[in-house]
Amino acid sequence: MTLHSPKARRPTIYDVAKQAGVSPSLVSLVLQNPARVSDKRREAVQAAISDLGYRPSRAATTLASSRTKSIGLVIDDYRNLWFVDLLRGMESALTEHGYQVMLADSRPGENRIQEAADGLLAMHVDGLVIAAEPSASMLAGVGVPTVVAGWRDGVPAGADLITNDDDGGGGMAASHLLGLGHIRIGHLSGSGGAAAHRRAGFLSRLRESGAELRIAGESGGTSEEDGYASTCWLLDHYPDTTAIFAANDTMALGAFGAIKARGLAVPADISVIGYDNSTLAKSRYLELTSVDNRSDLVGVDVAKALLARIRDAAVGPQRKLIEPALVVRGTTARPAF
């Protein structure tokens, strides 16, 4: 007969308290609000936690504090690289306060977004971030601080709005291309608040210069496939186009494919500029000129707004714009003709 050694018992908060020479309630206080504990006692508790390999029970913490120490994030397209930097910025500001982010991916459509938000709320998140297109009424009765990240068609009453200045970023893209001498410029756009603001800033600057307005995909999506299809349409209708501004870097990648399929080159024949300054734009293969929307800073400020309202329910919602910056790389140049 083979004997099996019993599994090691998981250490408890009482084990930590005993080793640190403090009460269980003080261990709990260190876990929830370490700033309220003296350095000597906090260090003793943290050393005991490390030695024993203790992991606090989130369920127990929730019961004790009525908080789950979790933030819900609703996104509408996991393929959009903008969310990567947004999430990194949020986590950098939330982790030090013991919060984790719970992600729900919704597909286009008000009901899908509402379902994703309801799923997170059912898990009793302490705050909610909507990085999708919410309806004006979707936050009715939510009961937790909510922040809308990025421009959206509608921002529900009572929610913070933290976003990039997309109007200014669109103007930066136009000014860059105009400065290089382009006057036959196409724009790959899409539906949704961010695309609309980028389009508005871009077109406003073009109108000031007298350059021709050429827009494709205004009511469509902003994926790589949408970028490819919109560029095909643009070049079919305006074959003399010398530069293209895409609503995001993913659409710009689609533009590359359509331009290459026609036997043309970037930037020798057509300059391309994207938006978001994502990891895609930074790749050595593409070296894409792009407007940096500082989505990591948007994420940091989203987290700060939530934390402020979680601590004090009297804090009202705010609207904040993060200034973008143009990053010039190898996909834009003076027109060849």
Side-chain angles (χ1 to χ4, degrees):
M1 182 175 67
T2 302
L3 296 177
H4 296 278
S5 60
K7 292 182 179 179
R9 181 177 66 85
R10 291 182 60 183
T12 68
I13 195 171
Y14 298 99
D15 297 322
V16 174
K18 182 178 180 181
Q19 179 157 324
V22 299
S23 66
S25 61
L26 191 132
V27 175
S28 180
L29 185 58
V30 169
L31 293 172
Q32 295 180 45
N33 196 349
R36 294 178 57 189
V37 182
S38 68
D39 292 345
K40 183 178 180 179
R41 288 189 169 187
R42 183 174 65 249
E43 290 168 3
V45 170
Q46 291 171 340
I49 288 173
S50 178
D51 289 344
L52 295 171
Y54 171 72
R55 291 184 179 181
S57 165
R58 184 166 291 273
T61 301
T62 298
L63 289 172
S65 67
S66 76
R67 289 182 179 171
T68 62
K69 302 293 281 188
S70 60
I71 301 296
L73 170 62
V74 178
I75 65 174
D76 56 9
D77 187 355
Y78 63 86
R79 297 169 299 178
N80 190 334
L81 297 175
W82 180 77
F83 295 118
V84 176
D85 289 335
L86 174 74
L87 182 58
R88 185 171 68 244
M90 285 179 57
E91 289 188 328
S92 71
L94 291 170
T95 300
E96 63 180 293
H97 296 282
Y99 282 85
Q100 66 175 4
V101 179
M102 304 175 68
L103 182 65
D105 175 38
S106 69
R107 294 181 180 176
E110 179 180 324
N111 290 338
R112 296 296 186 97
I113 296 169
Q114 183 70 63
E115 289 170 4
D118 288 344
L120 291 169
L121 292 170
M123 301 178 77
H124 302 287
V125 293
D126 296 330
L128 189 64
V129 179
I130 305 295
E133 295 290 347
S135 67
S137 60
M138 74 171 290
L139 297 184
V142 164
V144 299
T146 302
V147 176
V148 173
W151 284 114
R152 305 296 165 187
D153 286 336
V155 179
D160 296 74
L161 173 64
I162 311 293
T163 184
N164 170 252
D165 180 5
D166 288 302
D167 294 79
M172 285 180 181
S175 294
H176 175 62
L177 295 176
L178 291 169
L180 290 172
H182 294 278
I183 57 173
R184 297 182 293 275
I185 305 171
H187 177 39
L188 313 181
S189 190
S191 60
H197 280 273
R198 293 170 188 182
R199 182 171 63 246
F202 182 74
L203 295 183
S204 176
R205 181 67 185 89
L206 285 189
R207 290 190 183 99
E208 293 173 1
S209 71
E212 298 178 32
L213 309 181
R214 304 172 173 186
I215 306 175
E218 189 172 357
S219 59
T222 56
S223 68
E224 179 182 347
E225 293 80 5
D226 295 314
Y228 184 91
S230 292
T231 303
C232 288
W233 182 93
L234 188 69
L235 297 181
D236 285 343
H237 289 78
Y238 303 99
D240 62 341
T241 297
T242 63
I244 291 176
F245 167 47
N248 62 30
D249 294 340
T250 307
M251 290 193 84
L253 183 60
F256 270 76
I259 291 168
K260 182 179 179 181
R262 281 166 167 69
L264 301 174
V266 178
D269 299 303
I270 301 178
S271 288
V272 177
I273 179 172
Y275 204 111
D276 290 341
N277 195 36
S278 63
T279 53
L280 186 67
K282 299 170 187 175
S283 72
R284 290 186 175 87
Y285 178 73
L286 288 183
E287 287 289 333
L288 176 65
T289 296
S290 183
V291 178
D292 189 345
N293 63 357
R294 309 307 304 276
S295 53
D296 56 334
L297 294 185
V298 172
V300 169
D301 282 353
V302 162
K304 288 180 177 178
L306 278 176
L307 291 172
R309 297 183 67 190
I310 288 171
R311 294 190 193 103
D312 184 357
V315 174
Q318 62 171 311
R319 294 199 171 201
K320 184 172 182 178
L321 295 182
I322 305 297
E323 185 177 355
L326 178 68
V327 181
V328 179
R329 297 190 179 92
T331 60
T332 50
R334 297 189 66 82
F337 59 91

